[in-house]
Coordinates of all heavy atoms in Angstrom, one line a residue:
A1 N 87.8 84.7 97.2 CA 87.9 83.3 97.6 C 89.2 83.2 98.5 O 90.2 83.8 98.3 CB 88.1 82.5 96.3
F2 N 89.0 82.3 99.4 CA 90.2 82.0 100.3 C 91.2 81.2 99.6 O 92.4 81.3 99.8 CB 89.7 81.2 101.5 CG 90.7 80.9 102.5 CD1 91.2 81.9 103.4 CD2 91.3 79.6 102.6 CE1 92.2 81.6 104.3 CE2 92.3 79.3 103.5 CZ 92.7 80.3 104.4
Q3 N 90.8 80.3 98.7 CA 91.7 79.4 98.0 C 91.0 78.8 96.8 O 89.8 78.8 96.7 CB 92.2 78.3 99.0 CG 93.3 77.4 98.4 CD 94.5 78.2 98.0 OE1 94.5 78.8 96.9 NE2 95.5 78.3 98.9
Y4 N 91.8 78.2 95.9 CA 91.3 77.5 94.7 C 91.9 76.1 94.7 O 93.1 75.9 95.0 CB 91.6 78.2 93.4 CG 91.1 79.6 93.3 CD1 91.9 80.7 93.8 CD2 89.9 79.9 92.7 CE1 91.4 82.0 93.7 CE2 89.4 81.2 92.6 CZ 90.2 82.2 93.2 OH 89.7 83.5 93.1
L5 N 91.1 75.1 94.4 CA 91.6 73.7 94.3 C 91.2 73.2 92.9 O 90.0 73.4 92.4 CB 91.0 72.9 95.4 CG 91.5 73.1 96.8 CD1 90.7 72.2 97.8 CD2 93.0 72.9 96.9
L6 N 92.0 72.4 92.3 CA 91.7 71.7 91.1 C 91.2 70.3 91.3 O 91.7 69.6 92.1 CB 93.0 71.7 90.2 CG 93.5 73.0 89.6 CD1 94.9 72.8 88.9 CD2 92.5 73.6 88.6
K7 N 90.2 70.0 90.5 CA 89.7 68.6 90.5 C 90.5 67.7 89.6 O 91.1 68.2 88.6 CB 88.2 68.6 90.0 CG 87.2 69.1 91.0 CD 85.8 68.9 90.4 CE 84.7 69.0 91.4 NZ 83.4 68.8 90.9
P8 N 90.6 66.4 89.9 CA 90.0 65.8 91.1 C 90.8 66.1 92.3 O 92.0 66.2 92.3 CB 90.2 64.3 90.7 CG 91.3 64.2 89.8 CD 91.3 65.5 89.0
L9 N 90.1 66.3 93.4 CA 90.7 66.8 94.6 C 91.6 65.7 95.2 O 91.2 64.5 95.2 CB 89.7 67.1 95.7 CG 88.8 68.4 95.4 CD1 88.0 68.7 96.6 CD2 89.6 69.5 95.0
K10 N 92.7 66.1 95.7 CA 93.6 65.1 96.4 C 93.6 65.4 97.9 O 93.5 66.6 98.3 CB 95.1 65.3 95.9 CG 95.2 65.0 94.4 CD 96.7 65.2 93.9 CE 96.8 64.8 92.4 NZ 98.2 65.0 91.9
E11 N 93.7 64.3 98.6 CA 93.6 64.5 100.1 C 94.6 65.4 100.7 O 94.3 66.2 101.5 CB 93.7 63.1 100.7 CG 93.4 63.1 102.2 CD 93.4 61.8 102.9 OE1 93.1 60.8 102.1 OE2 93.6 61.7 104.1
A12 N 95.8 65.4 100.1 CA 96.9 66.2 100.6 C 96.6 67.7 100.4 O 96.9 68.5 101.2 CB 98.2 65.9 99.9
A13 N 95.9 68.0 99.2 CA 95.6 69.4 98.9 C 94.5 69.9 99.9 O 94.5 71.0 100.3 CB 95.1 69.5 97.5
V14 N 93.5 69.0 100.1 CA 92.4 69.4 101.0 C 92.9 69.6 102.4 O 92.6 70.6 103.1 CB 91.3 68.3 101.0 CG1 90.3 68.6 102.1 CG2 90.6 68.3 99.7
C15 N 93.8 68.7 102.9 CA 94.4 68.9 104.2 C 95.2 70.2 104.3 O 95.2 70.8 105.4 CB 95.3 67.7 104.5 SG 94.4 66.1 104.8
Q16 N 95.9 70.5 103.3 CA 96.7 71.8 103.3 C 95.8 73.0 103.4 O 96.1 73.9 104.2 CB 97.6 71.9 102.1 CG 98.5 73.1 102.1 CD 99.5 73.1 103.2 OE1 100.3 72.2 103.4 NE2 99.4 74.1 104.1
V17 N 94.7 72.9 102.7 CA 93.7 74.0 102.8 C 93.2 74.1 104.2 O 93.0 75.2 104.8 CB 92.6 73.9 101.8 CG1 91.4 74.8 102.1 CG2 93.1 74.2 100.4
M18 N 92.9 73.0 104.8 CA 92.3 73.0 106.1 C 93.3 73.5 107.1 O 93.0 74.3 108.1 CB 91.9 71.5 106.5 CG 90.8 71.0 105.7 SD 89.3 72.0 105.8 CE 88.9 72.0 107.5
E19 N 94.6 73.2 106.9 CA 95.7 73.7 107.8 C 95.7 75.2 107.7 O 95.7 76.0 108.7 CB 97.0 73.1 107.4 CG 97.2 71.7 107.6 CD 97.5 71.3 109.1 OE1 97.7 72.3 109.9 OE2 97.6 70.1 109.4
D20 N 95.7 75.7 106.4 CA 95.7 77.2 106.2 C 94.5 77.9 106.8 O 94.6 78.9 107.3 CB 95.8 77.5 104.7 CG 97.1 77.1 104.0 OD1 98.1 76.8 104.8 OD2 97.1 76.9 102.8
L21 N 93.3 77.2 106.6 CA 92.1 77.8 107.1 C 92.1 77.9 108.6 O 91.7 79.0 109.1 CB 90.9 76.9 106.6 CG 89.5 77.3 107.1 CD1 89.1 78.7 106.6 CD2 88.5 76.2 106.8
F22 N 92.5 76.9 109.3 CA 92.5 77.0 110.8 C 93.6 77.9 111.3 O 93.3 78.6 112.3 CB 92.7 75.6 111.3 CG 91.4 74.8 111.5 CD1 90.6 74.4 110.4 CD2 90.8 74.6 112.7 CE1 89.4 73.8 110.5 CE2 89.6 73.9 112.9 CZ 88.9 73.5 111.7
L23 N 94.7 78.0 110.6 CA 95.7 79.0 111.0 C 95.1 80.4 110.9 O 95.3 81.3 111.7 CB 96.9 78.9 110.1 CG 97.9 77.7 110.5 CD1 99.0 77.6 109.4 CD2 98.5 77.9 111.9
Y24 N 94.4 80.6 109.8 CA 93.7 81.9 109.5 C 92.7 82.2 110.6 O 92.6 83.3 111.1 CB 93.1 81.9 108.1 CG 92.5 83.3 107.8 CD1 93.3 84.3 107.2 CD2 91.2 83.5 108.0 CE1 92.7 85.5 106.9 CE2 90.6 84.8 107.7 CZ 91.4 85.8 107.1 OH 90.8 87.0 106.9
L25 N 91.8 81.3 110.9 CA 90.7 81.5 111.8 C 91.2 81.7 113.2 O 90.5 82.4 114.0 CB 89.8 80.3 111.8 CG 89.0 80.1 110.5 CD1 88.2 78.8 110.6 CD2 88.0 81.2 110.2
E26 N 92.4 81.2 113.5 CA 92.9 81.3 114.9 C 93.9 82.4 115.1 O 94.5 82.5 116.2 CB 93.4 79.9 115.3 CG 92.3 78.9 115.4 CD 92.9 77.5 115.6 OE1 94.1 77.4 115.9 OE2 92.1 76.5 115.6
K27 N 94.1 83.2 114.1 CA 95.1 84.3 114.3 C 94.4 85.6 113.8 O 93.4 85.6 113.2 CB 96.4 84.0 113.5 CG 96.2 84.0 112.0 CD 97.4 83.5 111.3 CE 98.6 84.5 111.4 NZ 99.7 84.1 110.6
P28 N 95.0 86.8 114.0 CA 94.5 88.0 113.5 C 94.2 87.9 112.0 O 95.0 87.3 111.3 CB 95.6 89.0 113.8 CG 96.3 88.5 115.0 CD 96.3 87.0 114.8
K29 N 93.1 88.6 111.6 CA 92.6 88.4 110.2 C 93.5 89.0 109.2 O 93.6 88.5 108.1 CB 91.2 89.0 110.1 CG 90.2 88.5 111.1 CD 90.1 87.0 110.9 CE 89.0 86.4 111.8 NZ 89.0 84.9 111.8
A30 N 94.3 90.0 109.5 CA 95.1 90.6 108.5 C 96.2 91.4 109.2 O 96.1 91.8 110.3 CB 94.3 91.5 107.5
E31 N 97.3 91.6 108.5 CA 98.4 92.4 109.0 C 97.9 93.8 109.2 O 97.2 94.4 108.3 CB 99.6 92.4 108.0 CG 100.8 93.1 108.6 CD 101.5 92.2 109.6 OE1 101.4 91.0 109.6 OE2 102.3 92.8 110.3
V32 N 98.2 94.4 110.3 CA 97.7 95.8 110.6 C 99.0 96.7 110.5 O 100.0 96.5 111.2 CB 97.1 95.9 112.0 CG1 96.7 97.4 112.3 CG2 95.8 95.1 112.1
L33 N 98.9 97.7 109.7 CA 100.0 98.7 109.5 C 99.5 100.1 109.9 O 98.4 100.4 109.9 CB 100.4 98.7 108.0 CG 100.9 97.4 107.4 CD1 101.2 97.6 105.9 CD2 102.0 96.9 108.1
D34 N 100.5 100.9 110.4 CA 100.2 102.2 110.8 C 100.6 103.2 109.7 O 101.6 103.0 109.0 CB 100.9 102.6 112.1 CG 102.4 102.5 111.9 OD1 103.0 101.3 112.1 OD2 103.1 103.5 111.7
F35 N 99.9 104.3 109.5 CA 100.1 105.3 108.5 C 100.0 106.7 109.2 O 99.1 107.0 110.0 CB 99.1 105.2 107.4 CG 99.1 103.9 106.7 CD1 98.3 102.9 107.1 CD2 99.9 103.8 105.5 CE1 98.3 101.6 106.4 CE2 99.9 102.6 104.9 CZ 99.1 101.5 105.3
Q36 N 101.0 107.5 108.9 CA 101.0 108.9 109.4 C 100.2 109.8 108.5 O 100.7 110.1 107.4 CB 102.5 109.4 109.5 CG 102.5 110.8 110.1 CD 102.1 111.0 111.5 OE1 102.6 110.3 112.4 NE2 101.1 111.8 111.7
T37 N 99.0 110.1 108.8 CA 98.1 110.8 107.9 C 97.9 112.2 108.5 O 98.4 112.6 109.5 CB 96.7 110.2 107.9 OG1 96.0 110.4 109.1 CG2 96.8 108.7 107.6
S38 N 97.2 113.1 107.7 CA 96.9 114.4 108.1 C 96.1 114.5 109.4 O 96.0 115.5 110.1 CB 96.2 115.2 107.0 OG 95.0 114.5 106.6

């Protein structure tokens, strides 16, 4: 799950999830790290 919300939903909580969601959709999906392997 991307997020969890408790009922009854509050507008501020939904707006915050939407902010987080759009930030996620518009940026690289995950931090990329380098590893020195064999």
Side-chain angles (χ1 to χ4, degrees):
F2 181 79
Q3 189 57 280
Y4 301 89
L5 291 176
L6 288 173
K7 281 187 169 183
L9 295 188
K10 296 181 180 179
E11 186 173 337
V14 172
C15 289
Q16 184 60 59
V17 167
M18 295 304 298
E19 294 279 358
D20 292 343
L21 176 64
F22 273 68
L23 283 173
Y24 182 89
L25 292 174
E26 294 173 5
K27 68 188 292 188
K29 301 305 182 188
E31 189 75 22
V32 176
L33 300 179
D34 60 278
F35 299 89
Q36 180 65 56
T37 74
S38 58

